[in-house]
Amino acid sequence: MMPPSQLVAKPCFGFRFRVLSRLKNFYPPGSRRHGQGRIMVRSPRLCDMRSDLIVLLDMAFCKGFVEDLDESFKDSRKDDIWLVDFYAPWCGHCKKLEPIWNEVGLEMKSIGSPVKVGKMDATSYSSIASEFGVRGYPTIKLLKGDLAYNYRGPRTKNDIIEFAHRVSGALIRPLPSQQMFEHVQKRHRVFFVYIGGESPLKEKYIDAASELIVYTYFFSASEEVVPEYVTLKEMPAVLVFKDETYFVYDEYEDGDLSSWISRERFQNYLTVDGFLLYELGDTGKLVAIAVIDEKNTSTEHTRLKSIIQEVARDYRDQFHRDFQFGHMDGNDYINTLLMDELKVPTVVVLNTSNQQYFLLDRQITNAEDMVQFINNILDGTVEAQGGDSILQRLKRIVFDAKSTIVSIFKSSPLMGCFLFGLPLGVISIMCYGIYTADADGGYIEERYEVSRSEIESPEQIEESKAQQEPRTGDSPVPAVQEPKDVLEKKKD
């Protein structure tokens, strides 16, 4: 066994793998070999301890490649490219991201990436976090010179690393040969290419790339590099390659270049989830979704999915500017979005820009039925439901409150009773106290009146009655003369 000082002096990677390999070859006391490599472990607990130790060591070494950042980072961060996780210690999503983030740091170090991986407690260094525009936790940013790029994709190791590679590299990547072009086509499902020399269109392309590099790749090439099946009416041009074909940007039909790139950065058919549906809101397209149960292999479920795929493929040129197609597994998210219970399988068309949606007004048996339904939506003959009106917003508030209460009671009935039963109990006690306090006050006042009447003498009662008697006729009733000492007191 090496001394600790020698172990520390060795490279960290080598030490990590040596330790883990020795642990994997370690046989706990009470175990013995049988034949070639077979082990009989008499103590499962010791074997579990070995596995736990391997996991802990792995996590510890992964953490070594993620730097904890402090206020000095503000002055030194421009010297390198940084991928930073701004987190809060109490945030549950941050804790869930932590092991993934450690794996990102290890992977970036192992491949020799120039991007450094760090994390910062945004609650301890709130001034720096606010300077970078951190408003929620966790927030992932790539910092490159004076620029800061937000990551908005899925929080998986591969997606985060892909984002770091894309943004840290060149903004516009040249394609010098057809072989390189074919390599890019195999690697990326969607990418954009500028073809031509210097022009105002290229300047717009560079501006769009600086804004949208967080989502997709941007390349430039000469006309000789482009595949032979690509035909261009004029040069320069901007093309998007996806779905085994390409589309050419037309300034008159497609409008602003950045908006067109934002609309076309997705494949025509997608497996849709809640996060992707949120991202599709920036495209301005209508989203036609087959809501199915992927575990259900019945004809109805598979038929609707295949119909949507067929329309997306065969009517691409007709609908790709206005529609995005896909399918979603289960109706839970759609029910929350629509505030309604949808039967599965079904088809729903969403307008993610204004929260409107369209439900089927016919039986969908083939692609032609779906095409007719889409055309009716475009010409306005299908009534839109939902929207973002004041009434819908109030309905959303009520629905969200109801959903929150139901989810709390489903997940933890005791917690639900405590959260909602305790305030109701306090309010009930307060109301009861106010009611009983009014009743006691009236009773005391009545008792006081009775006791005063009991204290007064009969002579005083007769005197007060005589003063309250009305006048008879024109002659006033003679007033009872008060004693002399009483008059003197009044004068005083």
Side-chain angles (χ1 to χ4, degrees), residues 360-430:
L360 289 176
D361 60 349
R362 70 195 69 231
Q363 183 70 24
I364 300 296
T365 58
N366 50 43
E368 287 71 23
D369 292 335
M370 188 66 203
V371 170
Q372 185 62 41
F373 177 58
I374 291 174
N375 286 326
N376 289 343
I377 291 175
L378 293 175
D379 62 27
T381 56
V382 178
E383 182 181 357
Q385 303 182 42
D388 55 359
S389 63
I390 296 176
L391 181 62
Q392 286 294 321
R393 292 177 185 178
L394 293 174
K395 184 179 177 182
R396 169 64 62 185
I397 293 172
V398 174
F399 179 83
D400 290 342
K402 180 182 177 181
S403 301
T404 302
I405 295 172
V406 171
S407 62
I408 290 174
F409 274 98
K410 283 185 177 180
S411 60
S412 178
L414 292 177
M415 179 63 73
C417 292
F418 177 78
L419 290 176
F420 298 101
L422 182 62
L424 290 175
V426 171
I427 293 173
S428 300
I429 293 172
M430 291 175 62

Side-chain angles (χ1 to χ4, degrees), residues 2 50 66 79 182 195 223 281 365 393 444 451:
M2 291 186 190
R50 186 191 72 170
V66 176
D79 299 334
E182 292 172 0
I195 301 172
E223 192 175 4
T365 58
R393 292 177 185 178
I444 291 169
S451 61

Side-chain angles (χ1 to χ4, degrees), residues 13-283:
F13 269 111
F15 171 57
R16 172 178 177 268
F17 289 119
R18 281 200 306 277
V19 171
L20 293 180
S21 63
R22 291 183 184 181
L23 281 171
K24 290 174 182 177
N25 294 327
F26 167 72
Y27 307 111
S31 63
R32 51 199 176 101
R33 284 181 176 274
H34 287 273
Q36 300 236 348
R38 295 185 63 191
I39 304 169
M40 178 153 208
V41 182
R42 292 182 181 176
S43 177
R45 184 177 179 184
L46 288 173
C47 191
D48 293 339
M49 288 172 61
R50 186 191 72 170
S51 301
D52 293 341
L53 185 58
I54 291 174
V55 173
L56 289 173
L57 277 171
D58 200 22
M59 291 175 60
F61 283 111
C62 287
K63 283 185 177 181
F65 300 105
V66 176
E67 296 189 30
D68 283 309
L69 305 175
D70 53 24
E71 58 270 354
S72 62
F73 172 71
K74 182 179 178 181
D75 300 324
S76 62
R77 63 105 175 170
K78 291 185 180 180
D79 299 334
D80 299 288
I81 301 174
W82 282 93
L83 184 66
V84 183
D85 168 29
F86 293 90
Y87 71 96
W90 44 261
C91 171
H93 295 290
C94 301
K95 293 177 181 177
K96 188 177 180 180
L97 177 64
E98 184 178 5
I100 299 172
W101 197 250
N102 293 332
E103 291 179 8
V104 169
L106 176 62
E107 181 76 12
M108 299 293 278
K109 188 71 174 181
S110 64
I111 63 178
S113 172
V115 179
K116 291 188 175 182
V117 181
K119 61 180 181 179
M120 176 178 284
D121 183 351
T123 60
S124 299
Y125 306 103
S126 56
S127 60
I128 300 177
S130 61
E131 184 177 336
F132 287 117
V134 176
R135 295 182 178 85
Y137 311 114
T139 294
I140 299 173
K141 287 179 176 285
L142 188 134
L143 307 176
K144 182 181 176 183
D146 294 326
L147 301 175
Y149 297 94
N150 285 334
Y151 175 70
R152 298 177 181 175
R155 290 168 187 161
T156 64
K157 184 187 78 170
N158 292 334
D159 288 313
I160 294 172
I161 291 174
E162 176 70 16
F163 163 80
H165 289 332
R166 182 171 64 249
V167 179
S168 63
L171 193 63
I172 309 293
R173 306 179 186 218
L175 297 175
S177 63
Q178 289 185 353
Q179 290 80 5
M180 181 61 72
F181 194 99
E182 292 172 0
H183 172 73
V184 169
Q185 260 188 318
K186 292 177 182 178
R187 184 174 179 183
H188 304 299
R189 296 177 179 177
V190 180
F191 64 97
F192 295 83
V193 181
Y194 173 83
I195 301 172
E198 297 297 327
S199 67
L201 180 61
K202 186 174 183 179
E203 295 178 3
K204 294 179 181 178
Y205 184 70
I206 294 172
D207 292 340
S210 63
E211 177 187 354
L212 301 171
I213 188 66
V214 294
Y215 299 118
T216 188
Y217 284 91
F218 295 87
F219 297 91
S220 63
S222 62
E223 192 175 4
E224 294 77 17
V225 173
V226 180
E228 295 180 357
Y229 63 83
V230 176
T231 58
L232 297 175
K233 295 180 181 179
E234 59 182 11
M235 297 280 291
V238 176
L239 290 76
V240 57
F241 289 84
K242 63 177 183 178
D243 302 322
E244 300 179 354
T245 186
Y246 69 96
F247 301 98
V248 183
Y249 166 69
D250 188 327
E251 185 176 2
Y252 298 102
E253 292 188 8
D254 299 317
D256 179 63
L257 179 61
S258 294
S259 301
W260 177 77
I261 292 174
S262 182
R263 291 196 303 270
E264 297 298 332
R265 62 188 175 91
F266 296 99
Q267 290 179 281
N268 202 31
Y269 185 88
L270 299 166
T271 301
V272 183
D273 56 14
F275 174 81
L276 186 56
L277 199 58
Y278 174 80
E279 288 293 304
L280 290 171
D282 296 334
T283 66

